[in-house]
Amino acid sequence: MSNPVGLSIFCDFDGTIATEDMISAIVTYALKDAAQPLFERILTRECSIREGVSALFAMIPSSRYGELVSFARERVTIRPGFGEFVAYCQENQIPLRIVSGGFDFFVKPALASFAGIDAIYANTLDTSGPYLRAVWPYPCDEHCAGDCGLCKPSIKRLHEAKRVVVIGDGITDVRIALQADLVIARDALLSYGVEHGLPVARFEDFMDVIAILRREEKELSACLKL
Ligand SMILES: [Zn+2]
């Protein structure tokens, strides 16, 4: 039987599937140095990510939307092994959901050629006014006070899962990682996981992720005598 141990995967996009943070690349391209003060306010936590990102897009005229879509399409690089990883999840009937604090105009085209992703959660941009307006369709539920923008733990709670695997790279993955049975991480999320004693494994590319999942399934199967 496939996926006998009931794994369910929630995977970040920016810096995880995509090799770089696309919001930051897009906003820097559109606003140049004018983006810097807001980036600093986000980094020093003077404002939440939701507030900061909303303010950044509000500086960009809606007439430039098409240009941003083209820029993102050319710029995005998918981390090696991702196609094999999606196929692995599909073959083993492991639900794979993408939870991205980014925007659907660059997340969805980047993932369009990978069949077998169960759901993609991302924010959207409203282009109907003179300036772009960030729309946050997945806010924090009553169990989260993070002002997350797109709230990853709230999305996790929408789905039943026996064993949750979180894949990510940054601080926006911390809240969902704290509720995971296994965290597959790099960069800031890896450091956080090690420091706080989370069940964390390190990855560089998605071939590593497949190897970690295989090992996890084998160990759990032995443990559960499946
Ligand atoms: Zn939240």
Side-chain angles (χ1 to χ4, degrees):
M1 198 178 87
S2 291
N3 194 13
V5 295
L7 298 183
S8 190
I9 299 177
F10 294 87
C11 182
D12 172 51
F13 182 79
D14 283 87
T16 300
I17 299 172
T19 54
E20 69 174 330
D21 186 321
M22 289 300 293
I23 291 194
S24 151
I26 290 163
V27 165
T28 303
Y29 162 76
L31 296 172
K32 310 280 186 292
D33 292 346
Q36 270 316 312
L38 271 162
F39 279 144
E40 270 154 38
R41 289 189 64 201
I42 295 172
L43 283 175
T44 56
R45 301 195 187 178
E46 271 175 65
C47 66
S48 71
I49 292 175
R50 185 185 59 80
E51 290 165 334
V53 171
S54 293
L56 284 163
F57 279 104
M59 291 162 71
I60 305 172
S62 293
S63 57
R64 294 188 68 188
Y65 179 69
E67 181 196 339
L68 301 190
V69 173
S70 308
F71 169 81
R73 196 162 293 187
E74 279 181 23
R75 175 76 173 238
V76 70
T77 303
I78 301 295
R79 196 173 291 282
F82 183 71
E84 289 87 343
F85 162 68
V86 175
Y88 177 85
C89 292
Q90 200 172 24
E91 278 158 29
N92 292 283
Q93 296 172 28
I94 302 171
L96 169 61
R97 301 181 179 98
I98 311 304
V99 282
S100 168
F103 289 82
D104 55 5
F105 80 89
F106 63 85
V107 176
K108 288 187 175 171
L111 298 178
S113 61
F114 300 101
I117 295 172
D118 290 88
I120 299 172
Y121 295 94
N123 305 304
T124 59
L125 283 182
D126 174 8
T127 61
S128 63
Y131 287 87
L132 295 172
R133 187 175 69 87
V135 180
W136 308 89
Y138 305 103
C140 301
D141 64 15
E142 70 272 25
H143 303 292
C144 184
D147 194 12
C148 297
L150 179 136
C151 183
K152 299 187 182 196
S154 299
I155 290 170
K156 177 190 149 281
R157 281 189 280 275
L158 297 174
H159 301 281
E160 277 214 26
K162 253 204 274 180
R163 289 191 70 81
V164 170
V165 179
V166 167
I167 308 172
D169 73 311
I171 46 161
T172 57
D173 300 307
V174 163
R175 284 175 187 271
I176 188 170
L178 287 168
Q179 300 177 14
D181 298 292
L182 171 65
V183 182
I184 304 177
R186 38 179 289 114
D187 292 341
L189 183 64
L190 179 66
S191 314
Y192 183 95
V194 170
E195 224 168 88
H196 292 80
L198 303 187
V200 68
R202 177 175 188 271
F203 82 104
E204 275 304 319
D205 63 32
F206 279 91
M207 298 313 283
D208 300 336
V209 173
I210 294 172
I212 294 162
L213 290 173
R214 278 214 177 98
R215 196 175 65 213
E216 178 79 359
E217 289 204 277
K218 209 168 139 197
E219 280 172 12
L220 283 169
S221 295
C223 187
L224 299 168
K225 295 192 170 55
L226 293 168

